[in-house]
Amino acid sequence: MSKAFRITLWSGGKPVSVHYIKEAPQMAEGIVAYKTDDGNAVRLMGTISIEQGDFTERPITGVRR
């Protein structure tokens, strides 16, 4: 897998949301913003970590019951 950015939103010391993007996110005034592959704009605020690397895990796209 090529280099990507993993953005994790944390709450209570646990990850609550993980996003994978190809382009570097924009950061300003405590908000991280980026566009998804399908063109949606996402803005996150709170405790966020941003990592760049080759990630083998896959984002969750659905839940089966």
Side-chain angles (χ1 to χ4, degrees), residues 27-47:
M27 293 167 269
E29 299 180 20
I31 297 174
V32 174
Y34 61 91
K35 285 195 176 182
T36 61
D37 290 339
D38 56 0
N40 291 318
V42 177
R43 291 187 179 105
L44 298 173
M45 59 187 293
T47 305

Side-chain angles (χ1 to χ4, degrees), residues 9-61:
L9 177 63
W10 297 84
S11 179
K14 297 179 181 180
V16 293
S17 179
V18 179
H19 305 265
Y20 294 87
I21 60 173
K22 296 175 187 172
E23 301 290 325
Q26 302 296 316
M27 293 167 269
E29 299 180 20
I31 297 174
V32 174
Y34 61 91
K35 285 195 176 182
T36 61
D37 290 339
D38 56 0
N40 291 318
V42 177
R43 291 187 179 105
L44 298 173
M45 59 187 293
T47 305
I48 299 167
S49 63
I50 301 172
E51 303 167 85
Q52 182 179 15
D54 296 320
F55 303 107
T56 57
E57 65 263 32
R58 305 270 186 223
I60 296 172
T61 56

